[in-house]
Amino acid sequence: MTVERFLQTVDGISTWVGKAAAWLIVVLMVVVCLEVFKRYLLNAPTAWIFDLNNMLYGSLFMLCGAYALAQNAHVRGDFLYSSMRPRTQATLDLILYFVFFFPGITALLYAGWDYAGDAWRIREHSNVTADGPPVYHFKTVIPIAGALVLLQGLAEVVRCIVCLRTGAWPARLKDVSEIDVVEEQLAHSEHVDDEARQLAIARAAQIDETARQRGLGGDNKI
């Protein structure tokens, strides 16, 4: 029970941060639209808008890294992985986490901490323009994102250990996915009967599960 609570707590933190960071795409869209209006209609471009766009976009991707890992959403290049037994998958994951993941994320966290510290000490500004905006707050996102991914990586290692012991992957927090939209559209469709609707939903769910390339056990909705 303690292990399950730990996994759900870490998944919850990664999911909350990822969803909060996702709102940056809305901010980015508003900034871009306003800049297009100013630049082409008012002939008053903003010199530092390029820096702001980079900071918003970069923060979005960095802060959503742990969320993607929690949802098992990172792309896998191994086409054999989906055909392996859960214990074989867990063994492979465990090896790769210690050989590649932890050294890389630890290096990112260590370098990012120094990187952000130096930026705060000198109150660093962008040098892309003559009067560039401050970037030290943006560079602080690097170690924060690294720490979140590292924490989620520890949870993934625990998952691997549980799978090795039980032969099944422990549950993950389930988030909204494309298949949920498909099911909702089919559920309200007036052009198919109930039997065809249920078959289509089941087929779509099967395709979605196959694409995930991993048997994750029962899912808990958040």
Side-chain angles (χ1 to χ4, degrees), residues 5-191:
R5 185 177 303 172
F6 168 74
L7 293 177
Q8 293 190 15
T9 299
V10 175
D11 284 355
I13 293 173
S14 298
T15 300
W16 186 89
V17 173
K19 288 186 174 182
W23 285 98
L24 290 176
I25 198 68
V26 178
V27 179
L28 179 60
M29 180 190 67
V30 172
V31 169
V32 171
C33 290
L34 289 176
E35 178 58 20
V36 169
F37 176 79
K38 288 182 57 183
R39 182 181 295 268
Y40 293 103
L41 296 182
L42 303 181
N43 195 26
T46 306
W48 44 263
I49 201 68
F50 180 75
D51 297 300
L52 179 59
N53 288 343
N54 279 344
M55 287 188 281
L56 290 173
Y57 209 46
S59 297
L60 170 66
F61 272 94
M62 286 190 289
L63 292 174
C64 288
Y67 170 59
L69 186 58
Q71 293 295 315
N72 193 37
H74 287 292
V75 176
R76 291 187 181 276
D78 187 356
F79 66 94
L80 298 175
Y81 187 88
S82 59
S83 62
M84 296 177 180
R85 296 176 181 271
R87 280 196 172 96
T88 306
Q89 292 177 338
T91 301
L92 180 61
D93 282 357
L94 203 58
I95 293 173
L96 294 177
Y97 271 116
F98 282 101
V99 173
F100 295 107
F101 178 86
F102 285 118
I105 296 300
T106 302
L108 173 66
L109 184 58
Y110 177 79
W113 182 268
D114 287 343
Y115 201 39
D118 291 340
W120 276 94
R121 278 191 291 272
I122 65 175
R123 292 296 190 269
E124 183 180 1
H125 283 60
S126 173
N127 57 7
V128 175
T129 57
D131 188 22
V135 296
Y136 43 88
H137 55 288
F138 168 63
K139 291 187 176 181
T140 307
V141 176
I142 300 174
I144 293 175
L148 289 170
V149 174
L150 184 62
L151 178 62
Q152 186 62 47
L154 292 173
E156 296 304 312
V157 167
V158 173
R159 276 195 170 87
C160 292
I161 295 173
V162 172
C163 183
L164 287 174
R165 294 179 58 186
T166 64
W169 287 104
R172 291 179 184 270
L173 290 177
K174 184 180 182 298
D175 199 3
V176 176
S177 60
E178 292 183 18
I179 188 61
D180 298 316
V181 179
V182 174
E183 291 181 3
E184 183 177 356
Q185 291 174 340
L186 288 172
H188 294 87
S189 176
E190 299 178 355
H191 304 288

